[in-house]
Amino acid sequence: MTISIETATKLKRAGLAWTPKTNDFFAVPDVGMDDKVFAMSDMTVTMEVLNGYQAITFNGAVEWALDFVYKVDAVWLPNESQMREMVIERLGSEPSMILQTSIGGYVVTIGDGKSKQVFEGITAEETYAAVLISLL
């Protein structure tokens, strides 16, 4: 499962940096392809530099009639483990983080012993994204 394009766009606007890697998921919003999720691959979807800009190229993807899209126009759809790692990295060594299920989905509680913050979401991915947006 991936996060929504809306949430991915919020992460991007909050300043989440993306260095594309094999098996990363991404979307290209606002060009009539919001329902398509793409994956970086060693074979068909790769990173190149075109006209001085980073571009995601589609090699042999004639069914999409799409040769490339500039990275700046794409949004990364990080998975649960990628977001959990980024949250832990930003929290540092002392704070704690707990993921729990709830009636409506998931709850993540982060704290440093003095205070805590609670985030809720429908999926674990969306909940971690909410935490990450607040930390960015």
Side-chain angles (χ1 to χ4, degrees):
M1 180 168 264
T2 61
I3 59 175
S4 69
I5 291 176
E6 179 181 341
T7 299
T9 301
K10 287 178 185 177
L11 282 166
K12 183 177 180 177
R13 287 185 185 141
L16 181 63
W18 177 37
T19 303
K21 295 178 181 79
T22 300
N23 299 323
D24 277 355
F25 294 99
F26 67 95
V28 186
D30 305 323
V31 292
M33 295 192 303
D34 287 4
D35 61 335
K36 306 287 186 226
V37 173
F38 300 93
M40 295 298 294
S41 165
D42 289 336
M43 299 295 288
T44 59
V45 182
T46 58
M47 286 296 300
E48 293 183 33
V49 176
L50 299 175
N51 301 318
Y53 296 96
Q54 287 188 322
I56 301 166
T57 60
F58 298 85
N59 302 306
V62 293
E63 66 274 18
W64 296 109
L66 185 63
D67 292 328
F68 70 91
V69 61
Y70 288 114
K71 180 183 156 199
V72 71
D73 296 326
V75 292
W76 179 28
L77 303 169
N79 64 37
E80 179 183 347
S81 64
Q82 289 170 317
M83 284 187 287
R84 185 176 52 249
E85 289 172 16
M86 289 183 281
V87 167
I88 290 169
E89 182 180 293
R90 282 165 177 78
L91 288 176
S93 60
E94 293 299 318
S96 66
M97 177 176 65
I98 300 169
L99 172 69
Q100 298 174 305
T101 59
S102 69
I103 293 173
Y106 292 84
V107 174
V108 170
T109 305
I110 60 172
D112 61 5
K114 298 174 190 162
S115 64
K116 68 178 183 176
Q117 290 181 282
V118 177
F119 301 85
E120 297 182 43
I122 296 172
T123 65
E125 291 87 351
E126 290 286 335
T127 310
Y128 279 130
V131 175
L132 195 52
I133 288 167
S134 78
L135 294 173
L136 290 168

